[in-house]
Amino acid sequence: MDVFHLLWLVPAFPLAGFLILALFGLRLHSRAIAWIGTGSIGLSAILTLWIGVHFLTQPPANYQYSLTLWTWFDINGFAPGIALYLDPLSLVYIFVITFVSFFIHLYSTAFMRSNEGYVRFFAYMNLFVFSMLVLVLANNLLLLYLGWEGVGLCSFLLIGFWYRDEVNGYAARKAFIVTRIGDTAFIIGLFLLVKQFHTLNIQDILQQAPVVWSAGATAVVWVTILLLGGAVGKSAQLPLQTWLPDAMAGPTPVSALIHAATMVTAGVYLIARTHVLYSLAPAVQLLVAIIGLLTLLIAGFSALAQHDLKRILAYSTISQIGYMFLALGVGAWTAAIFHFMIHAFFKALLFLAAGAVIMAMEEEHDIFKMGGLRKKMPVTFWTFLVGSGALAAIPLITAGFYSKDLILFDAFASTQGSFWLWLGGFVGAFITVLYTFRMVFVTFYGEQKKPITHNPEEEKAMMIPLVVLAVLSVIGGWIELPHAWAHFTPFSDFLTHVLPPTNLKPDMESQEFMLQLLTAVIVFAGIYLSWLAYVKKPALSASWKNTSLGRACHDFFYKGWMFDQLYDKLFVKPVVWISRIDPHDFIDYIYEGFGRLNVLIHAGFSRTQSGYVRWYLLCIAIGILFIFSLILFV
Amino acid sequence: MWHQHLLPALFPQIILAAASVLCLLLIAWKRNHAVVHLFTLLSLILALASLGKIYDATAVDGLFVIDGLGVFVEGVILIAVFFITIFSYPYFFQSQIEKEEYYVLLLLATLGATSMVISNHFVSFFLSLEILSVSLYTLIAYPKKMSASVEAGVKYLILAAVSSAVLVFGLGLIYVQTGQMSLAELGKLATGGIGANIWMIVGLGLVIAGLGFKLALVPFHLWTPDVYAGAPAPTSAFVATISKGSVFVFLWRLFSSVGTMSHAVQLIFVVIAIASMLIGNWLALLQQNLKRLLAYSSIANLGYLIVAFVASGETGLHAAMFFLVAYFICMLGAFGIISFLSEPAESGQQERLSLSSYTGLFWQKPGLAVLLALIMLSLAGIPLTAGFIGKFYVLLSGVYSTQWLLVIVLILSSVIGLFYYLRVVIQLFSRPETPVSYPASPYAVSTGLAFLVLFILLIWFGVAPGHLMDQISQMVHMIKG
């Protein structure tokens, strides 16, 4: 049991790493920076593993462990603590965060070597990992919010890492402002919770909520909608998804860590963490499913039309988180977390491999200008293929199959699921295969269009993470087999200590095999179609694109369903218009006037500081007279 | 009257008095700056250690009262003087003047301050005040070849003498009315309804004026910037912290012993607090001289402290003590940095006064700049610093006692204050056009260690205020008159 007392060290190591790098980083050699930056995460990962093994072999009472470090403040009984909470859900999260982060840090030691700001990069990354760990380990929503804002800040700083280019700064601001809209909803939700429960302790709220609120009560609907607002912003779901594709302006390891594996899944974590509230508001839970479904379709189609390798992956991330939301919406809590874990493995892998490709291509992002890299970059190619297989959910051999298949089955078979939800997810799965293998074939097959100057395959630090993540993307799925095969489901069994099991409609398991077969068919059909269009007969895809309908669709999808343009017209333009016709707003005069008034008063009182003792004495006398007059006349 | 049991209770005062005499003898025997410096530090540690002996013992006698409040503030004062002594060494190290007597005066001033916080009688209070004041005149004018210091010393001498006269007159009026000079006896009388007597209130009014001068409250504040700017930086630190903290404790003792404040007296304090908060911050708004800026800031901060005073009661006292500790840390750090960055000149130390001479300090001495920035944020009351918690408790005490006007003015004036504190921070981090060079100071290790301790305390009391607050509420209780 003692090992759980060390839980605080898990976030403390990255924080220490950040502090060392921030305070002394400029004096350190780049090798030392790499060691500190990566080592701090490595220590956290090892400790997490140790804690995890203990948790499995000698679980604490009720599978939950809480560690109060100190009370933050205490006002009239409202006393949020700096307290950590470990249960199977947070354990899965910290496991993924520390291990994936470690490998991405390792990769970055080589990837970022030629960049100025090497130490700044690792300092931000360590701060990010710290914030993310605080987010998932917090036992109250206030501390969670602190971590939530911390990761948002690091995301902002790292998207704009190459700040000399104005476009990157713009992308960083966009990400910050759009997620801020969700955060505002989130914090209003927290205020409502405090008003109702007078605490922000998550477990207390979850225990009291069913007692205080009846199902579908107005208050719980509002709270869940507001929390959903926060989740939607952070996880780049409809309608706040527009920031994520632009966030690809950051360095590729950042995209892999923050904008694929960890931070963007914080919304999923938040909803899973507060699942009791969502169970009390079935209408909002259905909304979660619908948001997930629409997002996964819209983002899938958008990915189909992108040319930029990283933007394809970005849309793919939005789409895959859509699957997680779909799972949450139909009450398949464990399936959502399972897909989060598998997605973290394969999407981090895809980003890192894409980073290697882009490095070899000298910062070329357009896949149509690459081609034929299969022979020159075998490790990258094979690992990328494994990752793509997992993304496309190739049956049996990839982990993505097990996790995505579970979601599709639950969308159909859960008591909250329906045929339409399944159909949407099913179409989405087909689209996923199409854009995934379009990406693979165009990048790695065909003729080589650009020579490789510096082959990143020589960098061991970059190749090891690829191989490890590729292995995880395959074997990760074997810890949760479909119901129809065998009842081997240790992952969801472990999580059901926190999350309720999925309620299935009666007699559904018999149909699971049928659904799996359908999925398998469309996966292979999709791969064949991509092969046909981009390898066998490239003219085919070009001819589709050249029809007027094809071009219109392509443009529409390429621009991400014109959401940016829509928001520009709806929100940005009117605000700019108003500010332009009213540059000298009278409200300004009030504030300017207030400032001027203060300066005037300052000038007036400054004159009293003449330096003459006689004047000072006079003032003392006036003060005494003033006191007397108060005494006599009041 | 010889009270055996009072002897250990007065150990700190005895040690300090003996140390100042020994220190003089040491100087007479052989002048050595380092030896005298170390001797001062040692005697301060000894005095601090002797406080542990009287931690639990509550001894009350005619002249002195040894209670938790007194012992707590004595401890704070001794620690603060310890810091000032550390800062004094590098400050005077390269100075051509004879510097050893400075420490004797420091010890004497500390003796005055520590006796004042346990004073329970007009006589003992006045004696302590004069020991403190006379030492301060000399401490301010110590670099006798610096005209600014001498001018500040003379100004302080004249004005403090006048204010002492006013104070004594006020105390005299109270004595005439009641025939008592002991606070305990006054407390007993006050329950009989003596507070309503007009001459009694006039006397109290004069006492307020006299104490208001020592605390630099508006309208008795005008001397503050001139003295702060003219005095050597370690002395400024002493004036800003210890002399004010000790007078404040007596103010508290006096008014809690004369019982519930009459309407008029309370009104006087409300007006004084409002005027100090607003005018202090306004005066600092565009100030370009860092020491003068800190002087105005201290006027405003004492105004905040008076809010807790008006709130009175247990809550008010605890808030005031926490606020005082946070304020001490900030002022010690700020003046410590100023003295550390001063350079030797012909007639004494040349201090960096103008804000522009601190431009880009961060790029040269990041540690110092971060500390100074943190101090400014703490004075401005930004969360995660001790200053925030202190101001928060003061605000809370104001809310509990429903002093809404004071609460609103406190918030508004804090907004004004934010402007000039942030102005300093911006200055520290902006890149200068021509890099300013900072000299390598001697004995950076002990000073650096002191800065580190202040830094840690600022954050510690800001992040986990519970430890200090527990200590305060354990030790400090309202004295019942």
Side-chain angles (χ1 to χ4, degrees):
Chain A
M1 288 297 280
D2 276 333
V3 62
F4 295 125
H5 288 296
L6 299 177
L7 184 62
W8 63 275
L9 278 172
V10 174
F13 283 130
L15 179 65
F18 161 71
L19 289 177
I20 294 171
L21 292 176
L23 291 176
F24 311 108
L26 290 174
R27 295 179 199 166
L28 292 176
H29 188 259
S30 68
R31 192 178 292 262
I33 292 167
W35 269 100
I36 293 167
T38 314
S40 63
I41 313 291
L43 287 174
S44 279
I46 291 167
L47 186 60
T48 305
L49 195 65
W50 191 24
I51 289 174
V53 168
H54 261 259
F55 200 95
L56 288 172
T57 52
Q58 298 157 318
N62 297 325
Y63 282 87
Q64 56 193 35
Y65 174 77
S66 171
L67 178 69
T68 304
L69 298 176
W70 69 85
T71 303
W72 198 349
F73 52 81
D74 187 345
I75 302 167
N76 201 10
F78 177 65
I82 303 288
L84 306 179
Y85 180 79
L86 188 70
D87 67 357
L89 179 61
S90 44
L91 184 64
V92 169
Y93 261 85
I94 62 169
F95 170 74
V96 171
I97 292 165
T98 52
F99 274 85
V100 173
S101 297
F102 172 72
F103 287 113
I104 292 173
H105 274 74
L106 180 63
Y107 175 94
S108 308
T109 56
F111 186 83
M112 297 300 291
R113 192 177 295 138
S114 53
N115 278 277
E116 64 169 315
Y118 195 62
V119 64
R120 187 161 54 93
F121 178 83
F122 279 101
Y124 289 166
M125 289 287 267
N126 275 9
L127 182 63
F128 168 79
V129 176
F130 163 71
S131 307
M132 191 70 205
L133 288 167
V134 167
L135 195 165
V136 297
L137 283 173
N139 97 327
N140 64 72
L141 285 164
L142 196 64
L143 189 59
L144 186 149
Y145 190 77
L146 193 76
W148 185 276
E149 292 300 323
V151 292
L153 172 71
C154 295
S155 164
F156 166 78
L157 291 171
L158 283 163
I159 294 170
F161 182 75
W162 289 309
Y163 58 90
R164 284 178 212 277
D165 191 345
E166 208 176 315
V167 182
N168 298 339
Y170 174 77
R173 286 199 296 281
K174 183 177 178 185
F176 197 71
I177 292 166
V178 174
T179 50
R180 176 76 9 174
I181 296 168
D183 293 354
T184 309
F186 184 16
I187 197 143
I188 295 172
L190 295 191
F191 292 151
L192 283 182
L193 283 172
V194 173
K195 186 166 170 279
Q196 184 74 46
F197 297 104
H198 208 71
T199 177
L200 279 176
N201 184 301
I202 297 169
Q203 300 310 314
D204 290 351
I205 289 176
L206 296 189
Q207 271 168 19
Q208 288 172 35
V211 184
V212 178
W213 283 327
S214 57
T218 323
V220 73
V221 168
W222 273 110
V223 167
T224 45
I225 284 186
L226 289 166
L227 294 190
L228 176 62
V232 158
K234 203 57 120 192
S235 290
Q237 297 292 292
L238 218 58
L240 298 177
Q241 83 285 24
T242 55
W243 64 272
L244 190 58
D246 290 330
M248 296 300 121
T252 307
V254 173
S255 310
L257 179 61
I258 301 182
H259 304 116
T262 54
M263 183 191 83
V264 287
T265 55
V268 179
Y269 175 80
L270 179 68
I271 293 177
R273 193 33 104 202
T274 55
H275 62 93
V276 175
L277 302 181
Y278 283 86
S279 303
L280 285 172
V284 181
Q285 206 185 349
L286 181 65
L287 182 66
V288 174
I290 291 170
I291 286 177
L293 185 66
L294 290 178
T295 310
L296 79 88
L297 287 171
I298 286 175
F301 279 110
S302 301
L304 210 48
Q306 301 304 314
H307 298 168
D308 181 327
L309 184 53
K310 282 181 73 181
R311 283 180 85 90
I312 299 176
L313 290 172
Y315 276 112
S316 157
T317 303
I318 299 175
S319 169
Q320 294 304 306
I321 298 171
Y323 275 104
M324 296 174 212
F325 269 63
L326 176 62
L328 294 171
V330 299
W333 310 105
T334 54
I337 304 304
F338 187 39
H339 195 54
F340 146 73
M341 186 175 85
I342 303 300
H343 174 256
F345 295 150
F346 71 70
K347 191 51 70 66
L349 163 64
L350 285 171
F351 265 112
L352 295 185
V357 169
I358 290 167
M359 193 175 173
M361 295 280 100
E362 289 178 337
E363 294 308 307
E364 179 58 64
H365 283 225
D366 190 336
I367 52 171
F368 289 98
K369 291 181 182 159
M370 297 173 180
L373 295 174
R374 184 169 36 132
K375 292 272 163 54
K376 292 278 164 57
M377 305 178 72
V379 181
T380 313
F381 168 67
W382 283 106
T383 51
F384 194 85
L385 193 64
V386 171
S388 302
L391 174 58
I394 294 177
L396 307 185
I397 52 171
T398 64
F401 165 74
Y402 295 95
S403 62
K404 199 184 282 180
D405 179 73
L406 189 60
I407 292 178
L408 285 176
F409 173 66
D410 285 338
F412 182 73
S414 136
T415 46
Q416 285 151 291
S418 72
F419 171 73
W420 296 106
L421 291 177
W422 171 81
L423 185 68
F426 182 71
V427 173
F430 182 61
I431 310 276
T432 308
V433 182
L434 284 183
Y435 71 69
T436 306
F437 279 89
R438 167 178 175 265
M439 176 170 73
V440 173
F441 290 135
V442 174
T443 311
F444 290 97
Y445 285 75
E447 60 185 276
Q448 195 174 345
K449 288 165 192 147
K450 200 172 172 190
I452 298 174
T453 45
H454 169 68
N455 196 337
E457 301 242 326
E458 292 156 15
E459 297 278 6
K460 276 211 185 68
M462 284 173 69
M463 291 303 123
I464 291 169
L466 293 186
V467 175
V468 173
L469 287 170
V471 171
L472 285 173
S473 300
V474 175
I475 63 168
W478 297 342
I479 56 171
E480 179 87 3
L481 298 182
H483 300 69
W485 296 12
H487 274 282
F488 183 72
T489 55
F491 186 79
S492 49
D493 291 345
F494 181 54
L495 276 177
T496 44
H497 295 293
V498 205
L499 299 168
T502 315
N503 295 318
L504 298 181
K505 293 177 204 158
D507 300 329
M508 278 297 172
E509 299 209 349
S510 54
Q511 300 189 31
E512 185 170 10
F513 187 66
M514 192 55 205
L515 296 178
Q516 280 168 352
L517 205 63
L518 271 174
T519 322
V521 168
I522 58 143
V523 167
F524 289 112
I527 295 176
Y528 176 72
L529 200 61
S530 306
W531 180 75
L532 202 65
Y534 292 101
V535 180
K536 183 85 172 151
K537 291 179 188 166
L540 201 62
S541 61
S543 71
W544 293 340
K545 218 184 279 177
N546 282 337
T547 62
S548 58
L549 180 69
R551 189 173 303 135
C553 281
H554 178 270
D555 283 354
F556 186 61
F557 295 153
Y558 181 71
K559 289 179 178 164
W561 294 52
M562 311 286 267
F563 270 97
D564 275 331
Q565 287 75 3
L566 181 71
Y567 291 163
D568 195 47
K569 287 238 160 54
L570 271 181
F571 304 113
V572 181
K573 285 270 164 59
V575 172
V576 171
W577 181 73
I578 289 173
S579 68
R580 194 159 293 155
I581 61 164
D582 187 23
H584 301 293
D585 193 271
F586 75 96
I587 300 283
D588 287 348
Y589 290 120
I590 297 175
Y591 293 106
E592 270 172 33
F594 184 70
R596 290 226 182 97
L597 182 71
N598 276 300
V599 171
L600 270 178
I601 296 172
H602 162 77
F605 279 112
S606 292
R607 291 187 160 201
T608 62
Q609 296 290 346
S610 61
Y612 293 118
V613 173
R614 53 178 182 272
W615 162 247
Y616 290 1
L617 282 172
L618 184 66
C619 282
I620 292 178
I622 292 172
I624 293 169
L625 279 180
F626 168 76
I627 289 176
F628 282 169
S629 57
L630 269 184
I631 292 170
L632 293 177
F633 299 115
V634 176
Chain B
M1 280 200 295
W2 171 249
H3 291 278
Q4 196 80 42
H5 68 279
L6 265 180
L7 190 63
L10 293 177
F11 264 156
Q13 283 72 25
I14 294 167
I15 290 169
L16 287 169
S20 52
V21 175
L22 279 176
C23 203
L24 265 180
L25 289 175
L26 208 62
I27 296 165
W29 182 50
K30 193 175 190 326
R31 277 192 180 278
N32 188 322
H33 188 197
V35 169
V36 172
H37 172 75
L38 281 176
F39 178 81
T40 311
L41 288 178
L42 271 177
S43 41
L44 285 170
I45 290 173
L46 201 63
L48 197 61
S50 74
L51 275 181
K53 286 270 173 218
I54 50 173
Y55 185 83
D56 290 322
T58 297
V60 184
D61 194 55
L63 290 179
F64 293 110
V65 53
I66 318 290
D67 58 359
L69 172 66
V71 174
F72 177 78
V73 181
E74 272 184 276
V76 171
I77 287 174
L78 287 171
I79 294 169
V81 178
F82 190 81
F83 277 104
I84 291 170
T85 313
I86 290 180
F87 297 145
S88 303
Y89 188 71
Y91 185 84
F92 287 109
F93 183 68
Q94 284 160 312
S95 196
Q96 299 299 317
I97 53 173
E98 288 169 337
K99 44 228 167 188
E100 289 77 12
E101 281 84 353
Y102 188 83
Y103 298 95
V104 180
L105 291 163
L106 263 186
L107 285 170
L108 281 172
T110 314
L111 172 66
T114 49
S115 344
M116 198 189 309
V117 298
I118 54 167
S119 291
N120 200 32
H121 196 279
F122 289 170
V123 170
S124 55
F125 161 68
F126 196 72
L127 201 63
S128 321
L129 181 68
E130 288 310 301
I131 295 177
L132 173 62
S133 297
V134 174
S135 317
L136 277 181
Y137 306 146
T138 342
L139 281 171
I140 293 167
Y142 197 80
K144 58 185 181 224
K145 286 178 191 161
M146 300 275 280
S147 59
S149 301
V150 175
E151 185 191 324
V154 172
K155 269 183 188 168
Y156 189 70
L157 170 66
I158 298 170
L159 295 167
V162 170
S163 81
S164 288
V166 171
L167 186 66
V168 169
F169 189 42
L171 295 176
L173 276 179
I174 296 173
Y175 176 65
V176 166
Q177 286 302 309
T178 60
Q180 291 297 342
M181 291 213 277
S182 151
L183 297 190
E185 295 301 320
L186 272 176
K188 281 175 200 157
L189 285 176
T191 43
I194 194 115
N197 184 306
I198 184 76
W199 288 111
M200 175 81 180
I201 299 181
V202 168
L204 282 177
L206 287 172
V207 172
I208 293 171
L211 295 178
F213 172 85
K214 311 284 178 197
L215 293 173
L217 292 166
V218 176
F220 313 106
H221 64 288
L222 290 153
W223 58 276
T224 330
D226 295 358
V227 170
Y228 277 34
T235 306
S236 306
F238 200 102
V239 178
T241 56
I242 291 146
S243 96
K244 289 185 180 174
S246 50
V247 172
F248 180 77
V249 172
F250 182 76
L251 181 76
W252 193 285
R253 283 192 196 285
L254 177 64
F255 279 90
S256 59
S257 79
V258 296
T260 39
M261 266 187 244
S262 71
H263 185 63
V265 173
Q266 191 176 20
L267 190 69
I268 293 171
F269 277 111
V270 169
V271 172
I272 284 180
I274 290 175
S276 302
M277 290 190 277
L278 285 174
I279 294 177
N281 281 319
W282 271 325
L283 278 169
L285 209 59
L286 297 177
Q287 185 51 249
Q288 289 301 329
N289 179 321
L290 184 60
K291 278 172 96 181
R292 292 182 81 90
L293 187 141
L294 286 168
Y296 295 134
S297 158
S298 79
I299 294 171
N301 272 298
L302 265 290
Y304 302 144
L305 196 61
I306 296 300
V307 174
F309 173 76
V310 172
S312 70
E314 204 90 351
T315 341
L317 186 55
H318 291 172
M321 286 303 117
F322 198 106
F323 185 87
L324 210 58
V325 171
Y327 168 78
F328 268 41
I329 299 173
C330 291
M331 285 293 157
L332 287 176
F335 284 110
I337 289 171
I338 292 172
S339 39
F340 188 67
L341 290 179
S342 64
E343 286 170 85
E346 245 174 80
S347 49
Q349 286 291 103
Q350 183 66 44
E351 290 171 11
R352 282 165 196 276
L353 296 178
S354 81
L355 270 187
S356 56
S357 64
Y358 289 87
T359 310
L361 180 66
F362 178 76
W363 308 106
Q364 306 265 335
K365 294 191 178 291
L368 279 188
V370 167
L371 176 62
L372 191 53
L374 193 75
I375 286 168
M376 289 299 148
L377 295 179
S378 174
L379 285 170
I382 304 290
L384 299 185
T385 61
F388 166 74
I389 305 285
K391 207 181 255 184
F392 179 77
Y393 278 126
V394 168
L395 194 74
L396 209 63
S397 71
V399 170
Y400 278 148
S401 58
T402 62
Q403 294 287 349
W404 299 116
L405 185 64
L406 286 179
V407 168
I408 290 167
V409 172
L410 195 160
I411 293 170
L412 284 182
S413 61
S414 296
V415 176
I416 302 172
L418 197 59
F419 177 79
Y420 62 87
Y421 293 126
L422 290 185
R423 221 154 46 84
V424 178
V425 176
I426 289 168
Q427 202 68 247
L428 294 175
F429 288 87
S430 55
R431 289 218 184 246
E433 280 161 20
T434 50
V436 188
S437 67
Y438 294 94
S441 270
Y443 293 89
V445 179
S446 61
T447 323
L449 218 59
F451 286 141
L452 185 68
V453 171
L454 289 174
F455 185 87
I456 290 169
L457 288 179
L458 262 187
I459 299 280
W460 180 29
F461 294 152
V463 176
H467 300 102
L468 178 61
M469 205 57 199
D470 288 347
Q471 187 70 23
I472 289 173
S473 44
Q474 237 176 54
M475 290 185 72
V476 178
H477 295 288
M478 272 259 288
I479 36 158
K480 302 280 183 287

